[in-house]
Structure formats: structure tokens, C-alpha cells
Amino acid sequence: MSPPLFPLLDARQLSRRSFLAGSTSFAAAALLSTRARGTVAATPKFSAYPFSLGIASGDPLPDGVVLWTRLAPKPLEAGGGMPPEPIEVSWQIAEDEAMSRIVQAGTAVADPSWAHSVHVEVSGLRPERWYWYRFKVGTELSPTGRTRTAPQADALPARLRFAFASCQHYETGLFTAYDHLAREDLDLVVHLGDYIYEGAANDQRVRRHNSPEILQLDDYRARYALYKSDPSLQRAHAIAPWIVTWDDHEVANNYAGDIPDKPSTKPAFLLRRAAAYQAYFEHMPLRRSAQPHGPDMLLYRSLNYGRLAQFHVLDTRQYRTDQPQGDGVKPPHAVLMDPRGTALGDPQRDWLFTGLTRSPATWNVLAQQIMFARVDRTRGPAIGYSMDQWPGYEFERRRLLRHFADKKIKNPVVLTGDIHSNWANELIADFDQLDSRRVGTEFVGTSISSSGDGTETPKNNGELLAKNPFVKFHNTERGYVRCELTPQRWRTDYRTVPFVTKPGAPLNTRASFVIESGRPILQRV
Ligand code: FE
Ligand code: CA
């Protein structure tokens, strides 16, 4: 599948052209660009509001961000209710919420081959600033979103506040947690995957998926459209830039590289993966560098927040070898120490090791999917680890822990999603020596809605914490995790909602932890 036309224009060029014309108005920018391109419809008529999926921004740099939207007047219909032709969309970015001090404007083409999505890479902005942005197509104006640029590479900002979230099964719960998240004071939001779920509609749940299990590009697009129609999710996207990565359900449950969970041939699964990756790209505020080519999409990347934090965003699905002992919780077998087993693949691991070694940041954040600590979740004297998580890739997991220790990586903090539960874990150099040195920390964030209403204290918590003394907190309510970083300390608050099967859940802070820089010990506060 070779992408025919990428709907991204050079934002700098376009904005320079509009500035030269002496105007940053939508009309001027649209007119100039239409003349230049000739074939693009600039004044379409829509059957309904075309910005039904909201707006988003992402991957902040010191001088710019990605602005995203997708035109879909009939979001659940094939093609989103759009004519099969390219449409010109104008954008503006301003220093104020009223959009009166516009600093840049331009146009982009929403192309049908990319589901009429728009990804604008704005550059030339000032570092560490709030900006507001919106789109216009024909006479229709999008909602206004707020975004923020990162600090300059050599700056040491006084603080960074962000939240991370994952696992938002539409059917099993309402996205109430996002309403609370949208009221937080956050510089950015990190999403760790399971943004959609691929399964068939089920009548027995709180809400209903729009189709049978999704397999084709149009199915994936309509599923994203269903999820992105949720107003709470839209509000959360509108308050700050997002840094996103995927987990398994953006394609299929527990897939590993080119190997699906359910029986399928490799060529058939790679076609499905290509469709899934394309739809993911179409719906996320990602840069051109992430544009997929068939079943391949470069999603791992790093983002700096000055010298305060570096986010190493990982992809533990696309390149992994098959779960060596299959799925589920299994007692460990010698095969787990086979050096060929990998969750990252060689190029990504080399990139990560180099990035960690060279990082100038106080906090090295690994934004990824699967639990890193080797947690024994079996009852009684038996031992068992989840084979879909890092303990199923034990050889590589130990390499990474050794890298943290040997290279004296500054404050490695692993952020995790996937398992619909909250955990605070100390990462020890050797999980067979429970008193061995602490070399990092891990915060596992619960789901937004997946698994439905949770419980504050799971029944077997006592035994679990006794078997795994490096686990300092475990809870299975829904919610998200808020983090505040300064050059001296990291604070994590587990923000939870007691229910998601009916509206109006209040927000609680169920536990808070602090880490001092240079001392990877979880202090409950
Ligand atoms: Fe999930
Ligand atoms: Ca998952």
C-alpha cells in the first residue's frame, strides 16, 4: 500500500506566504493556496458539522507542535460523510484564547486517501508558551484547542505537570475520568495505548461498539470516529498537547510483530496491521516522520522537556518476537533467557540505550505499554509471570535494568498502561535478590474505562504485596495518573473515579508518591 498523497503542507512556507500577503486571515490564506494548488475544493458544502471529531495537538518541540483534525460530518459512515475529493482546510494559531493575536496561519489539504485528516507541523513558535489554535473549512469553524511548546533544549524549567492515561474501552465505561483530567493544570498528556478496542459490538454493556470486529481500513476509521465522538475525550485533547503511543488493541489483542493472537495467515495479518496503523496515524496528532508505509510505522521517538525530562516513547508491539510461552500467566521457563527474545527489536533497543546514555535530562521517562517489574500474580507458593508483559521477555528486561545501573542513567522512570490497574513499583537490579539495589521506578496507570467499575482494594492485595515487596501500591479503580516534576523531585498522584458505568463519578486521589532525584525509593506521602 503506497500512500498517494500526504496531506501535509510545509507550514512555514504557507505561513510566510500569508504573511507576505499582508494578512493572516483565513480568506487570504485560503485564496493564495487554492491558486497555487488549483485542484482543491476550498468552499465545500457539508451535510453536518465537519469537525465532529474535535481537534488535537501533539509532540511539542521548543518551536512548534502538530495540529490535528479530521473532517467527518457523518463520522460513523464510510468516508465520514465526505465527498471523495481533497478539501482545503485553513488553520490559525494565536497567543490568546480569543484568537485575536494570531501568530501564524496557513492551509493544509484534507485528502480522502488519509480519511480527510489534517496534520499541520507548525514551527517558528516561541518556547514554553501557551498557544490556541483552530481550523476552518468553507464557512465552518472548529472548536479552539489549547497547546503548549516545550522549553528550549538547554533550559531547566522549574516544573512540568502532565498526566498519563491508557485503555479506554468504549463499551465497558464512560470516559468520566477525562472530564476530570480536562480540568487539571497540565502541560501535556501522555497516552500509552489501547486508544480503541477492536472487538465486536456487545449488547450487554454500558455503550455499544458500532460494528463487528474491525479488520479493514474503513472499519478501523469508523471505530476511531466512534471513540473520538466522545465529548469527554475531545475535551481532554483540547487542553494540552498529547504524546501518544499504541498498545495491542489498536490492531488486535496481544499481537506480537506479525503474529496475531487469533489464527490468521501472516500476509492477511500484515494487511490488517497496515489498515490499523494507517487509521491510527490518521487520528493522532503525529508528525510526518510517523507516516506509515504499509504495515510499518515508526512510532518510537524521544521528546525533551528542556533538561528536566526526556520522554523515550516506546513501541513494544511492532517489533516483538512471539510470546515464548504463549499468553497468560506462566511459571518461568529457561526459554525466557533466550537472547533472541525481544520486546523492542534490535534497532529500537540500540536507539533507546544510546538515547538514555546521552540524555542530559534529570528524569528519563520511558513512556511505554507493558509492566516492567517482574510481579508474581499467582496465589499460594506457585510462581507465575504474565507472558505478554516484560517478564515474558526476561533476557531483554535484564539487559535494560543492567543498562540503567551500569551507565548510571539519571532517574529512569517507567510509565506503563495495558493492565487496567494502578501499581507503584521499585525496579530492583536483580528481581531474584529482593534486597538488591533500586535502579529505577515504575508507575503503572489504570484504565480510563476498560474492565468497567473497579475496586479500591483488590481482595488478594495483602498476599500480592507480601509476595512482591517492591510493589508499594496496587488498586483497580479507573482513572489516570498525574505527575509533577521539578529538578529535585517527582510526585505522582493516582487519580481515580469510583465508577464508570453511570455518569457523574467524583474524582479521588487514591495514593501519592514522591521520588527524590538520585534516590529511586518510593515515598508515600
Ligand atoms: Fe487495555
Ligand atoms: Ca493492552
Side-chain angles (χ1 to χ4, degrees):
M1 184 184 310
S2 79
L5 169 68
F6 189 72
L8 241 175
L9 301 183
D10 185 329
R12 212 170 342 190
Q13 228 176 18
L14 280 167
S15 57
R16 196 186 313 135
R17 206 156 44 185
S18 351
F19 283 126
L20 283 176
S23 166
T24 53
S25 77
F26 278 118
L31 185 68
L32 279 162
S33 167
T34 306
R35 275 197 201 128
R37 295 187 62 90
T39 55
V40 174
T43 52
K45 293 213 168 18
F46 298 104
S47 52
Y49 185 56
F51 296 106
S52 63
L53 306 182
I55 42 85
S57 69
D59 278 17
L61 297 176
D63 75 332
V65 290
V66 183
L67 307 181
W68 174 92
T69 193
R70 180 190 160 199
L71 306 178
K74 297 277 168 64
L76 299 183
E77 288 180 10
M82 291 292 291
E85 56 191 50
I87 305 286
E88 186 170 82
V89 179
S90 307
W91 57 270
Q92 292 179 318
I93 189 159
E95 289 176 333
D96 61 324
E97 190 170 7
M99 302 296 295
S100 63
R101 295 196 306 279
I102 290 168
V103 293
Q104 287 197 42
T107 63
V109 173
D111 195 88
S113 56
W114 293 93
H116 290 100
S117 63
V118 175
H119 300 73
V120 179
E121 290 183 62
V122 182
S123 58
L125 301 177
R126 293 199 282 172
E128 232 180 329
R129 297 265 167 174
W130 290 112
Y131 288 96
W132 285 260
Y133 61 95
R134 65 184 177 190
F135 298 91
K136 191 182 185 193
V137 61
T139 55
E140 301 282 2
L141 206 56
S142 79
T144 298
R146 187 181 79 154
T147 192
R148 186 171 175 81
T149 48
Q152 249 155 358
D154 58 356
L156 183 61
R159 68 162 210 181
L160 161 64
R161 293 190 92 185
F162 74 94
F164 68 94
S166 64
C167 294
Q168 47 199 45
H169 200 303
Y170 185 82
E171 293 190 322
T172 56
L174 306 174
F175 296 169
T176 315
Y178 275 135
D179 285 326
H180 293 296
L181 183 149
R183 285 191 282 269
E184 302 267 15
D185 170 21
L186 302 172
D187 300 306
L188 56 92
V189 175
V190 178
H191 197 283
L192 300 176
D194 289 355
Y195 193 98
I196 59 160
Y197 282 76
E198 81 281 17
N202 180 334
D203 287 328
Q204 311 304 314
R205 289 172 168 165
V206 182
R207 300 195 284 190
R208 196 171 179 279
H209 274 159
N210 52 329
S211 67
E213 181 166 347
I214 53 177
L215 300 164
Q216 316 273 343
L217 180 56
D218 277 343
D219 307 335
Y220 280 100
R221 285 170 168 168
R223 189 59 60 88
Y224 278 100
L226 175 71
Y227 279 58
K228 291 191 78 81
S229 299
D230 184 281
S232 308
L233 177 58
Q234 289 190 12
R235 273 193 278 280
H237 273 293
I239 61 150
W242 284 38
I243 296 174
V244 301
T245 186
W246 54 36
D247 193 22
D248 53 337
H249 289 287
E250 283 86 353
V251 181
N253 182 45
N254 285 5
Y255 80 98
D258 54 12
I259 302 156
D261 185 28
K262 290 181 185 171
S264 169
T265 64
K266 194 176 279 194
F269 182 68
L270 284 178
L271 280 175
R272 182 181 186 184
R273 196 176 95 175
Y277 284 8
Q278 179 169 343
Y280 183 76
F281 178 80
E282 287 170 350
H283 292 84
M284 294 297 140
L286 288 166
R287 291 181 183 275
R288 192 191 323 234
S289 53
Q291 181 194 359
H293 299 281
D296 304 315
M297 180 166 156
L298 181 60
L299 193 58
Y300 66 82
R301 61 204 188 279
S302 67
L303 290 139
N304 292 303
Y305 201 82
R307 288 185 292 119
L308 183 59
Q310 184 162 355
F311 290 84
H312 309 265
V313 183
L314 306 186
D315 172 358
T316 61
R317 289 288 167 191
Q318 186 173 187
Y319 314 104
R320 70 159 72 183
T321 47
D322 199 12
Q323 292 88 350
Q325 292 180 238
D327 276 352
V329 174
K330 305 270 169 65
H333 182 274
V335 72
L336 299 180
M337 290 306 290
D338 183 338
R340 289 169 300 183
T342 176
L344 297 173
D346 293 349
Q348 181 176 203
R349 188 181 56 250
D350 291 348
W351 162 87
L352 174 62
F353 280 18
T354 306
L356 286 168
T357 309
R358 290 192 187 151
S359 169
T362 301
W363 302 100
N364 279 288
V365 187
L366 281 72
Q368 57 97 55
Q369 299 77 23
I370 46 176
M371 186 140 80
F372 194 75
R374 199 183 70 182
V375 176
D376 176 5
R377 296 184 74 173
T378 55
R379 312 198 67 169
I383 295 173
Y385 306 123
S386 170
M387 291 297 121
D388 189 58
Q389 297 165 25
W390 274 102
Y393 299 85
E394 183 64 11
F395 182 83
E396 191 175 53
R397 199 183 75 86
R398 291 188 193 184
R399 272 185 81 172
L400 192 47
L401 279 171
R402 240 185 352 261
H403 190 77
F404 288 169
D406 293 353
K407 302 292 179 187
K408 300 188 169 55
I409 304 303
K410 272 178 99 181
N411 299 311
V413 180
V414 179
L415 306 183
T416 302
D418 180 40
I419 46 176
H420 314 168
S421 44
N422 285 312
W423 305 73
N425 304 327
E426 289 175 351
L427 299 177
I428 49 185
D430 179 355
F431 277 74
D432 289 325
Q433 303 286 332
L434 290 174
D435 58 350
S436 67
R437 197 149 68 84
R438 271 58 185 153
V439 297
T441 33
E442 176 177 37
F443 297 109
V444 182
T446 189
S447 64
I448 289 289
S449 59
S450 305
S451 301
D453 296 340
T455 36
E456 187 187 338
T457 309
K459 264 195 245 105
N460 61 340
N461 233 17
E463 187 184 355
L464 188 86
L465 298 180
K467 272 188 123 176
N468 302 281
F470 50 87
V471 175
K472 303 301 174 186
F473 172 65
H474 173 52
N475 152 295
T476 61
E477 290 175 292
R478 306 285 74 85
Y480 57 90
V481 181
R482 185 180 69 187
C483 304
E484 181 176 293
L485 286 58
T486 71
Q488 291 77 38
R489 34 170 254 170
W490 175 303
R491 182 192 170 103
T492 287
D493 297 299
Y494 289 91
R495 306 279 267 169
T496 63
V497 289
F499 53 85
V500 290
T501 52
K502 54 184 199 278
L507 182 69
N508 299 304
T509 298
R510 207 45 99 193
S512 299
F513 289 90
V514 162
I515 322 164
E516 312 285 345
S517 174
R519 206 169 156 260
I521 306 290
L522 289 167
Q523 305 167 56
R524 191 150 181 175
V525 291

